[in-house]
Amino acid sequence: MSAEKRPDSLTGFGASVKRKEDPAFLRGEGQFVDDIHLPDMLHAAFVRSPYAHAKVGAIDKHAALELPGVHAVITFADLPEEIRRQTMPLLVPHPAIKQPLLPYALAKDETCYAGEPVACVIADNRYIAEDAAQLVEVDYEPLPAVNDCRAAIEDGAPLAHAGAESNIAARFPVKVGDADRAFAGAAHVFREKIYQHRGGPFFMECRGAIAQYDAQSQGYTLHVSSQGSHRLKRCMLDMFDLGDHQMRVITPDVGGGFGPKGSFYPEYINVAVAARLLRRPVKWIEDRRENFLTTHQERDQYWDMEIAVDANAKIIGVRGQLIHETGAYVPWGIVLPWITATTVPGPYVVPHFKLDVISVFTNKIQTTPVRGAGRPEAVTTMERLMDRVARELKLDRAEVRRRNFIQPEQMPYKVGIIFRDGRPVTYDSGDYPASQAAALKTADYDGFAKRQLEARAQGRYLGIGMANAVEATGLGPYESATVRVATSGKIVIYTGATPQGQSHKTTLAQIASDQLGVDFNDITVVTADTATIALGIGSFAARTAVNAGSSVHMAAMEVAAKAKKIAAGMMECVEDDLELSGGYVRLKSAPDVKKSLREIAVKSIGMPGFSMAGGLPPGLEHTAHFTPDQAVYSSGTHVAEVEVDIETGEVKIVRYTVAHDCGRVINPMVVEGQVVGGVAHGVGNALYEQLAFDENAQPLSTNFGEYLLPMAADVPKVDLVHLETPSPLNPLGIKGAGEGGTISAIGAILGAVEHALEPFDVRIAEAPISPQRIVALLGEHARGRTL
Amino acid sequence: MADTRTISAIVNGKSHTATIETRLTLVDFLRHELKLTGTHVGCEHGVCGACTVLVGGISARACLMLAVQCDGLEVATVESLAADGKLNTLQQAFQDNHGLQCGFCTPGMLMTLTEFLRDHPEPNEAQVREALSGNLCRCTGYQGIVDAALDAAKKMRGTTR
């Protein structure tokens, strides 16, 4: 079954309609969590560890409590028993996790990263709360800190957690075939060591939460800037030992998430504790310094890899080791390094693969998925290897890739690896050779040599680089959607999907509008309120279009069928003679013979004292949970053309092309926005974004002056080519689009920079690659260099 | 004790008199005292531009300015742009060109561009990108915003000539 785009549908599936979300945002009428003002609300500030690793001794809160306007200072000892007895939850357990270390809601006796919360101060306003936080005296005994995940696993390294058996959180192999045997007979083996630096989400709206306590039900309402209300509710139920009815989580408008707003953080527990203690609503809004210290970041990863190829540059095998830094704790288990490991083969036939993955504790904020979720690192690594093969064998880089692509006729293609959803990695569809060909054509790859030559004649250094990726999207287990026609005739969709800018309120309405025969503007989408729908997962992993989109489609189809059934009874005809359009169920042969959705909805709920006719379940509504069998695989090719200034090391992206295949597209304008925005994130990871720490793991870059996000003048205009291989695995043929823009960008840009510096034999094996590093790598070749 | 002062300012054409702490930032005054929550706080150190407002017609970081500094001045926020609820030319161009995703940086972008397009009615793309260099957006990659600014400039020229 597929949703054919109806010729008369101007606003449904496939249309670039303007977003329903926009007018409110443009008038300044969005409602982000900090825009919510509740009566009698108090404000929280946190006392945070100034050390990356320390023992926490006595805490003196007297001076803070004496400050006028201060209502409470909460320390670990003050937390309720149910909170003190447990650490925060491990979201995705796995047997490979040898030390599942997680934090308490407030530090118990040890802090393991700079910024870890030690006490929570509640006051009339944030100004007073911060004043009081300064007055809380904490006895710290600094401990040796671990600041590098490679040093952490050497003998005699200090421990990131006092009393831990080692700094290894988890270690696991990922294998296909017999790599060691394959390598033994290979014509060529090349080794690359690659470093990929941290980086973080740096959404524009920092985190935040407001907790309310209701003494009557002994329950809570939590407004929180999140990527999934239902999972946070589950975490809160566990922490507070509550019934389903005692916790409502609402996610209002969210100013960007990019992964880390999907995590569960200690501040949310603390505001709820304070709201119960003080019987007043309590708000906490993260400031940007806290954001740099305490919102989850993504990596460091150190790769030591080898690739074996035959005399024709065909891959025989890839093997090596990945040291992945998990930071202070493992809230998402090994999800991140696992996704990284399973993404390495990408669009290429890799008959033999072996990766030894070690996830390592350090005394830095923990790392969890950020846009791309480990995939950009894998793609960067694999594409650096492909460039290396081309260079060594003196072949064109595109040609080496062409010789190794999985061919479309090999679909569905089993990679031989188990993905994190427990299923074998099986690519459902895609045409990787076509993707690269389309990108190279649009980028005028064939004309590049001439452009490069002309530039060189002027003393300018141009380079071109490319990267291909295959991306697991639309991960299960499901997303929820209820489509309901109220007795007023108005249509609402409730879903657990939790948008942060992805336009779900528009795209989900578009999908339903096709089935219900109304304009998408006549459908309201209510997201991420646990009181409106029982189950939900949330928006991350480029999963919402596939999961929530399919659920909306299924639910809307059921509602349409039910409307026809009820109308057929009312109109004394058969359902097949009816269709939905313009808010009515109409007789196809005589469209003016009709029943409104309002009349049908009223009929559907029955009348008090009368039996329900026809045996239909009451209500003109349906709830669906599309449960995908496995991930669906988006794919794409990025081509970056750069100019490198060999005096300053500055990299300017002069041309950028993306060929992108996310299956059938619900709203091309929205998809383009997602892809282009993703590229900007990748540009930052490739060139600018660097989180510095000193030898004691003390963060040194804690503002946007020190940590550089790409600005409008840094991000290139992106030329986009849409390819479309529909997924056979969901009713709409769609795949995820939210992360592909980021995933290939680093690899393409690094390749381009290295290519530009070819005359100087510079090798780029790190991201980000800063101007300082480029000048250092150029050494004596740097223009203007005085030796 | 907190040092307080009484100020009068005209915000979006409406006169306000308030007794406030001298340390209160302009953005907190707008958001918490006047409940004009359209102006957003993104970094509190003057880099991201989400809090941009016009003070006396000139763009200012409301996170770096104290509310008392606005005594006797006119302040315009994003809430002033849509007269009678109808999106103005620049706002409409943002919707038409997908110039926003999460919408959080948007008020600052709009205020920066309101000033820029007033002073530079015929900008080219490079000038728009330069003008936006004091405003960070993590969602859009700026392309939609740049397109919106150029589109708005064109339409504004059309309506005033």
Side-chain angles (χ1 to χ4, degrees):
Chain A
M1 166 194 59
S2 72
E4 289 303 314
K5 191 185 162 201
R6 305 172 331 165
D8 61 338
S9 172
L10 300 175
T11 67
F13 195 108
S16 280
V17 297
K18 293 174 196 171
R19 303 196 321 159
K20 291 160 70 83
E21 291 88 341
D22 289 349
F25 288 142
L26 289 163
R27 291 192 195 103
E29 292 168 359
Q31 194 179 51
F32 299 90
V33 66
D34 194 28
D35 301 339
I36 298 171
H37 290 265
L38 298 176
D40 280 336
M41 192 162 68
L42 298 171
H43 298 263
F46 285 86
V47 177
R48 298 182 180 278
S49 173
Y51 299 102
H53 196 194
K55 261 195 175 340
V56 179
I59 301 175
D60 182 351
K61 50 191 188 183
H62 284 95
L65 284 169
E66 279 171 18
L67 196 71
V70 173
H71 293 260
V73 177
I74 300 166
T75 66
F76 180 81
D78 304 313
L79 293 169
E81 194 276 332
E82 68 268 21
I83 306 294
R84 270 183 289 135
R85 75 179 174 220
Q86 58 185 332
T87 55
M88 293 177 58
L90 173 58
L91 297 174
V92 186
H94 190 279
I97 306 168
K98 295 299 175 210
Q99 300 190 86
L101 297 175
L102 289 149
Y104 288 95
L106 290 168
K108 186 180 180 187
D109 50 19
E110 182 184 7
T111 58
C112 294
Y113 63 91
E116 183 156 4
V118 175
C120 176
V121 179
I122 311 297
D124 283 338
N125 63 47
R126 177 63 174 258
Y127 288 69
I128 298 171
E130 289 191 22
D131 289 345
Q134 297 272 331
L135 297 174
V136 176
E137 297 275 350
V138 184
D139 282 342
Y140 294 103
E141 181 195 323
L143 297 171
V146 181
N147 85 328
D148 183 298
C149 60
R150 289 165 305 171
I153 53 176
E154 285 172 9
D155 290 340
L159 291 169
H161 291 266
E165 61 185 52
S166 74
N167 288 323
I168 295 180
R171 184 169 190 162
F172 59 94
V174 176
K175 281 183 184 169
V176 179
D178 184 345
D180 292 341
R181 179 186 289 213
F183 268 71
H188 305 282
V189 174
F190 307 114
R191 183 176 178 188
E192 287 278 333
K193 292 187 178 185
I194 297 161
Y195 166 53
Q196 299 190 55
H197 174 68
R198 275 185 175 243
F202 298 107
F203 29 72
M204 288 294 103
E205 181 213 23
C206 288
R207 293 185 295 121
I210 305 169
Q212 289 167 271
Y213 180 71
D214 174 39
Q216 207 82 55
S217 65
Q218 298 174 28
Y220 303 80
T221 301
L222 186 72
H223 287 84
V224 56
S225 183
S226 89
Q227 292 180 234
S229 293
H230 290 80
R231 282 177 310 118
L232 289 189
K233 175 180 168 180
R234 184 192 148 199
C235 292
M236 293 292 277
L237 294 184
D238 285 351
M239 292 302 299
F240 285 85
D241 193 22
L242 299 173
D244 183 73
H245 61 293
Q246 289 171 300
M247 182 64 65
R248 176 182 181 189
V249 178
I250 305 166
T251 300
D253 289 329
V254 177
F258 310 116
K261 274 191 190 163
S263 293
F264 183 51
Y265 291 90
E267 293 90 354
Y268 311 156
I269 302 169
N270 280 283
V271 289
V273 167
R276 177 165 71 180
L277 181 74
L278 300 166
R279 304 292 162 103
R280 290 171 68 175
V282 176
K283 175 192 271 189
W284 168 75
I285 301 297
E286 185 184 58
D287 69 27
R288 189 54 75 176
R289 182 179 159 76
E290 290 180 295
N291 178 252
F292 272 94
L293 295 176
T294 67
T295 284
H296 296 172
Q297 299 170 356
E298 172 141 334
R299 18 191 185 267
D300 283 351
Q301 288 190 351
Y302 291 90
W303 297 73
D304 186 351
M305 299 295 286
E306 288 180 300
I307 186 166
V309 293
D310 69 14
N312 293 318
K314 290 267 276 188
I315 299 167
I316 297 169
V318 173
R319 69 179 176 188
Q321 186 178 66
L322 165 60
I323 300 173
H324 171 86
E325 180 184 351
T326 190
Y329 300 103
V330 282
W332 276 91
I334 53 171
V335 160
L336 190 45
W338 193 320
I339 295 175
T340 298
T342 54
T343 304
V344 173
Y348 308 115
V349 176
V350 180
H352 302 279
F353 178 59
K354 186 174 89 168
L355 193 63
D356 172 25
V357 183
I358 310 175
S359 181
V360 179
F361 289 116
T362 62
N363 293 112
K364 300 183 200 164
I365 182 64
Q366 40 270 42
T367 64
T368 59
V370 176
R371 199 168 195 169
R375 298 175 186 87
E377 298 92 302
V379 170
T380 302
T381 299
M382 189 67 195
E383 296 297 313
R384 295 277 64 216
L385 290 171
M386 299 302 276
D387 283 350
R388 174 76 186 276
V389 169
R391 188 172 75 233
E392 297 282 353
L393 301 186
K394 297 187 171 43
L395 291 167
D396 178 76
R397 288 169 296 162
E399 173 61 19
V400 167
R401 288 165 169 85
R402 267 194 291 273
R403 291 183 191 178
N404 286 286
F405 278 132
I406 297 159
Q407 299 300 313
E409 53 273 19
Q410 290 175 274
M411 295 291 166
Y413 182 83
K414 283 193 192 316
V415 178
I417 299 173
I418 302 298
F419 191 56
R420 86 169 181 88
D421 62 5
R423 301 298 177 101
V425 175
T426 306
Y427 300 158
D428 55 305
S429 56
D431 187 342
Y432 312 139
S435 171
Q436 178 173 292
L440 292 177
K441 182 163 183 276
T442 302
D444 187 25
Y445 183 70
D446 292 341
F448 177 76
K450 186 162 173 278
R451 295 197 289 281
Q452 189 183 40
L453 213 58
E454 286 167 1
R456 289 247 182 102
Q458 302 164 1
R460 292 162 48 229
Y461 292 86
L462 295 187
I464 196 166
M466 69 201 76
N468 293 291
V470 180
E471 174 199 0
T473 70
L475 307 189
Y478 57 82
E479 192 52 81
S480 56
T482 296
V483 174
R484 178 178 297 161
V485 182
T487 48
S488 60
K490 295 194 186 303
I491 303 169
V492 65
I493 296 171
Y494 296 112
T495 175
T498 307
Q500 316 117 45
Q502 298 95 328
S503 324
H504 298 153
K505 292 181 183 183
T506 297
T507 52
L508 296 178
Q510 285 183 263
I511 290 171
S513 74
D514 281 341
Q515 302 304 321
L516 300 175
V518 297
D519 187 89
F520 85 112
N521 274 312
D522 295 330
I523 300 172
T524 301
V525 179
V526 175
T527 56
D529 177 351
T530 60
T532 62
I533 191 159
L535 297 170
I537 301 295
S539 296
F540 54 95
R543 65 187 302 283
T544 298
V546 172
N547 284 276
S550 298
S551 295
V552 165
H553 173 71
M554 290 158 60
M557 275 183 49
E558 288 294 327
V559 168
K562 196 169 179 179
K564 283 192 211 170
K565 267 200 185 107
I566 295 168
M570 295 165 82
M571 295 159 76
E572 295 180 352
C573 63
V574 292
E575 294 150 42
D576 286 350
D577 294 340
L578 298 173
E579 65 181 3
L580 277 73
S581 81
Y584 293 88
V585 176
R586 300 171 190 271
L587 205 55
K588 285 178 193 168
S589 54
D592 286 342
V593 182
K594 63 192 182 184
K595 289 286 173 194
S596 70
L597 289 178
R598 181 177 185 282
E599 293 171 278
I600 297 165
V602 168
K603 180 85 177 167
S604 78
I605 62 164
M607 291 240 285
F610 293 77
S611 314
M612 286 292 291
L616 283 174
L620 189 51
E621 65 176 84
H622 189 81
T623 299
H625 300 92
F626 174 69
T627 53
D629 280 341
Q630 63 155 69
V632 292
Y633 289 84
S634 295
S635 57
T637 306
H638 288 212
V639 181
E641 189 169 326
V642 305
E643 177 172 348
V644 183
D645 183 327
I646 64 162
E647 182 176 5
T648 64
E650 187 196 3
V651 176
K652 193 166 170 31
I653 300 171
V654 295
R655 187 166 181 163
Y656 203 97
T657 309
V658 174
H660 188 263
D661 184 349
C662 60
R664 296 187 67 226
V665 171
I666 306 165
N667 182 324
M669 177 193 80
V670 165
V671 166
E672 185 163 339
Q674 289 294 308
V675 175
V676 172
V679 169
H681 208 133
V683 167
N685 288 148
L687 298 175
Y688 306 116
E689 297 182 36
Q690 193 137 25
L691 289 156
F693 293 82
D694 75 6
E695 67 275 16
N696 297 313
Q698 187 66 230
L700 299 177
S701 43
T702 55
N703 63 57
F704 287 138
E706 294 156 347
Y707 184 89
L708 305 179
L709 291 186
M711 300 185 299
D714 302 324
V715 180
K717 187 175 181 316
V718 177
D719 296 320
L720 203 54
V721 189
H722 281 297
L723 303 163
E724 192 170 302
T725 52
S727 173
L729 299 181
N730 60 67
L732 298 168
I734 49 190
K735 307 175 185 177
E739 301 182 281
T742 305
I743 290 169
S744 300
I746 306 170
I749 294 168
L750 294 192
V753 171
E754 183 174 280
H755 188 229
L757 301 177
E758 203 174 31
F760 314 109
D761 217 23
V762 166
R763 302 280 173 263
I764 308 294
E766 66 200 60
I769 184 74
S770 67
Q772 297 94 309
R773 282 290 294 151
I774 288 174
V775 170
L777 290 167
L778 278 165
E780 59 181 307
H781 300 296
R783 182 173 290 156
R785 181 109 169 168
T786 47
L787 293 170
Chain B
M1 257 322 274
D3 182 24
T4 62
R5 203 166 294 177
T6 300
I7 65 160
S8 290
I10 296 169
V11 181
N12 298 338
K14 199 175 156 196
S15 178
H16 294 270
T17 301
T19 302
I20 53 170
E21 281 192 46
T22 49
R23 66 174 177 173
L24 186 70
T25 61
L26 174 58
V27 72
D28 285 349
F29 176 65
L30 293 170
R31 293 178 49 78
H32 301 156
E33 306 286 326
L34 304 188
K35 307 287 187 264
L36 291 170
T37 55
T39 303
H40 294 156
V41 183
C43 73
E44 293 178 271
H45 53 263
V47 179
C48 81
C51 66
T52 304
V53 296
L54 302 184
V55 178
I58 297 165
S59 60
R61 301 291 205 224
C63 75
L64 292 185
M65 197 165 176
L66 295 171
V68 291
Q69 291 176 282
C70 295
D71 189 19
L73 296 178
E74 285 196 29
V75 179
T77 71
V78 67
E79 284 94 343
S80 70
L81 298 182
D84 306 324
K86 187 179 180 311
L87 300 183
N88 74 12
T89 305
L90 178 63
Q91 289 169 311
Q92 189 57 55
F94 264 66
Q95 185 181 28
D96 294 348
N97 292 278
H98 196 22
L100 63 157
Q101 290 180 22
C102 82
F104 195 80
C105 74
T106 309
M109 294 284 177
L110 290 171
M111 298 316 288
T112 296
L113 288 170
T114 296
E115 178 191 44
F116 175 73
L117 295 178
R118 180 193 69 201
D119 299 343
H120 304 85
E122 295 185 51
N124 61 32
E125 182 182 332
Q127 288 167 328
V128 169
R129 287 185 183 269
E130 180 72 26
L132 290 173
S133 283
N135 291 72
L136 294 174
C137 169
R138 191 58 152 172
C139 293
T140 63
Y142 303 101
Q143 200 155 304
I145 299 172
V146 172
D147 292 346
L150 293 170
D151 182 22
K154 200 170 150 195
K155 288 184 174 137
M156 287 156 83
R157 288 197 300 271
T159 53
T160 53
R161 279 181 193 176

